[in-house]
Amino acid sequence: MATTIFRNGRIYTGDSRHLFVQALVVRDGIVHDLGSDADMLLQYGGDATVIDLQGCTATPGLIDSHLHLGWLGLTFLQLDLSKARSKDELLLLLKEKAQVTTENAWIQGYGWDENLFADGGGIPTIEELDQAAPHCPILLARICGHANLVNSKALELSGYHRDMEVPAGGVIVHDPMSGKPTGMLLETASNLITKHIPRPDYDQLKQSLRNSIHYAMAHGLTGAHTEDLRELGGLAQTYRLYDELINGEELALRSNLLVYYPHMHELRDLKMTAGYGNAHVRIGAVKIFADGALGRRTAYLSAPYADDPSTSGYPVHEQDELTELVRQARGLGMPIAVHTIGDKALEMVLDSLDQFPAVAYRDRLIHTQILRPDLLDRLKHPHRIADIQPRFLAGDFPWVMDRVGQERIQHSYIWKTMMDYGIICAAGSDTPVEPIDPLLGIHAAVTRKAPGETHDGYFPQEKLTMEEAIHLFTLGSAQVTNEDHVKGTLSRGKYADMTVYSKDLFTIDPDELLSTKVMMTIIGGNVCYTS
């Protein structure tokens, strides 16, 4: 029986029975014992491998409750627009890419955010996009993933005409004066374009996913709840890719795979259900979208947007359609994981969920950014989890206050209220929408501000303590899949998953989180990353 002793650390266990220890003993990937250096070495040091943590602080392994590793891997191959701080910068990056791209070859980019454009120039028009890349079709995804820019070449290849049918929940934005497309596609309208873009082959997908798994572990993640079927080619191929990389190549990252709802038939055909798999790769919930995002006002609110009273956003599915999707998932014994940003979207999902008994695994409401007080009781349920993304605060404030208005913002991003109310919460990044680094999410949760800002935080009464923020990324994210009996804390009998840091998270000023480095990522007692 292989024994490893991790010693000389300040190990935060998350277990109130022994909150901080110096040393941890691992046998066959499981926490066997923990205590002082002297005791652990005396009892187990004879034939054990000893790893010196060199005084560093460790926590239970960090688990991202919602991200897109497949999409992240593909972004490494795309034009990164996240650093563009003006429309002109975006167009220059596109023009430079077009100059080295052959005729009719696609240019894909991601990450633009008009809220960061300092010049007030707005979003590029289709004419400006055509001028920057006249010979190449383009698809440029907004940072949220709920809006895309295309040029005339892309529309031409898609067979666009004014009366063409748009997928449910999608919008091709037209200029109200000319009636011509502006180049902006919202939500599922992008499907009209993406089906014409050549897909990477299996080996390319595998390499891109391999890169993103290594990238996740380099940022301290020992586990991830990931939604990838649209990028990786359906359920069978996605599961095969993860199985080959994580089980076959022993990359180790504990991965929980969400199943996008159009692929529910594959669950039945493959005889898979929630929990199918092993300790490193397993099936999670059915992923559904109830609404869009606040950035482009597609999140579905119960009252109009404060800065555009002509719209309240809109649902991706009407109530009957949403209820039918839940019915289908329940018929497969599956929980659901639903993207719900607006309060009206959340109400719709809860109305559908209330019609069905719970299943063995918890349903999750992803994002839950705007939460009317009357919805708190309905969300507080032992089989429901609020899957929040703290880093969204850093990206959304202060512009989101104008978007939703002063009254509604009081009930938005209210993580402390939710946790104190007894709502089960987990935390993730939604990468590549936001950076994968969980320390950035923890920073946003405990400071309520973006890096570099010097105020006391947006609605500082909602700040979390360091312990509460770490709980979200550890035990909270384990509770999502009923795995809190095997992970989420460093307790005897649980997986020996740890994240080790260069600084003591519990004594530093929270802004020092921004310069803290991951020194080791340990999964099942094995060091999978070291700086």
Side-chain angles (χ1 to χ4, degrees), residues 154-195:
L155 289 175
E156 175 189 329
L157 291 175
S158 73
Y160 167 80
H161 57 84
R162 185 67 174 82
D163 300 319
M164 75 186 304
E165 185 176 352
V166 179
V171 176
I172 299 176
V173 179
H174 293 87
D175 184 280
M177 301 297 292
S178 68
K180 296 180 179 179
T182 65
M184 177 74 74
L185 306 182
L186 302 179
E187 305 299 341
T188 55
S190 63
N191 295 346
L192 296 169
I193 304 296
T194 55
K195 65 184 180 181

Side-chain angles (χ1 to χ4, degrees), residues 124-269:
T125 65
I126 194 167
E127 291 80 11
E128 291 170 323
L129 296 171
D130 289 343
Q131 186 176 6
H135 63 291
C136 305
I138 67 169
L139 179 73
L140 310 179
R142 191 180 184 277
I143 186 67
C144 62
H146 294 271
N148 290 269
L149 289 173
V150 297
N151 63 353
S152 297
K153 193 79 170 177
L155 289 175
E156 175 189 329
L157 291 175
S158 73
Y160 167 80
H161 57 84
R162 185 67 174 82
D163 300 319
M164 75 186 304
E165 185 176 352
V166 179
V171 176
I172 299 176
V173 179
H174 293 87
D175 184 280
M177 301 297 292
S178 68
K180 296 180 179 179
T182 65
M184 177 74 74
L185 306 182
L186 302 179
E187 305 299 341
T188 55
S190 63
N191 295 346
L192 296 169
I193 304 296
T194 55
K195 65 184 180 181
H196 296 282
I197 301 176
R199 295 193 58 80
D201 62 27
Y202 188 83
D203 288 340
Q204 290 171 319
L205 288 174
K206 191 171 183 178
Q207 182 58 49
S208 68
L209 183 58
R210 184 185 289 113
N211 292 341
S212 61
I213 290 171
H214 282 298
Y215 190 72
M217 292 190 294
H219 284 85
L221 291 180
T222 64
H225 302 251
T226 181
E227 191 239 314
D228 299 319
L229 271 62
R230 288 170 289 171
E231 290 78 24
L232 299 184
L235 177 56
Q237 180 160 289
T238 298
Y239 192 90
R240 177 187 169 193
L241 284 164
Y242 275 92
D243 183 50
E244 290 178 353
L245 289 168
I246 292 178
N247 292 318
E249 295 185 14
E250 298 183 349
L251 296 188
L253 182 73
R254 301 190 195 276
S255 301
N256 189 278
L257 311 182
L258 298 186
V259 179
Y260 188 41
Y261 75 90
H263 298 268
M264 279 195 276
H265 67 280
E266 285 194 79
L267 286 168
R268 183 180 297 105
D269 295 345

Side-chain angles (χ1 to χ4, degrees), residues 4 38 244 255 266 284 327 352 384 393 433 438 443 469 473 479 502 522:
T4 302
E244 290 178 353
S255 301
E266 285 194 79
R327 186 189 311 279
S352 292
R384 293 173 185 171
L393 179 137
V433 175
H443 177 266
F473 283 93
Q479 288 177 305
S502 62
I522 299 160

Side-chain angles (χ1 to χ4, degrees), residues 433-499:
V433 175
E434 292 289 345
I436 198 171
D437 187 352
L439 291 176
L440 292 177
I442 292 171
H443 177 266
V446 300
T447 68
R448 302 280 300 185
K449 61 184 179 181
E453 293 182 332
T454 57
H455 53 81
D456 193 39
Y458 299 104
F459 303 95
Q461 71 274 13
E462 294 291 343
K463 288 181 180 178
L464 301 185
T465 66
M466 185 62 68
E467 290 85 353
E468 288 170 332
I470 290 173
H471 171 94
L472 290 174
F473 283 93
T474 54
L475 189 61
S477 291
Q479 288 177 305
V480 173
T481 47
N482 298 7
E483 293 180 278
D484 42 310
H485 65 293
V486 291
K487 58 187 180 183
T489 65
L490 292 169
S491 308
R492 293 177 182 88
K494 290 192 176 186
Y495 300 145
D497 298 349
M498 287 192 293
T499 308

Side-chain angles (χ1 to χ4, degrees), residues 330 350 353-354 356-359 361-365 375-386 418 421-425:
R330 287 297 196 258
L350 295 173
L353 276 175
D354 284 347
F356 302 95
V359 291
Y361 291 83
R362 292 182 172 98
D363 298 303
R364 67 178 86 175
L365 293 306
L375 298 176
L376 284 167
D377 276 326
R378 300 181 65 188
L379 190 55
K380 182 183 177 181
H381 188 292
H383 286 276
R384 293 173 185 171
I385 283 194
M418 292 163 69
Y421 203 77
I423 293 170
I424 306 172
C425 296

Side-chain angles (χ1 to χ4, degrees), residues 2 97 102 118 166 273 278 290 295 310 331-332 424 449 466 484 500 524:
K97 180 68 173 177
T102 58
V166 179
T273 192
N278 62 17
S310 69
L332 297 168
I424 306 172
K449 61 184 179 181
M466 185 62 68
D484 42 310
V500 183

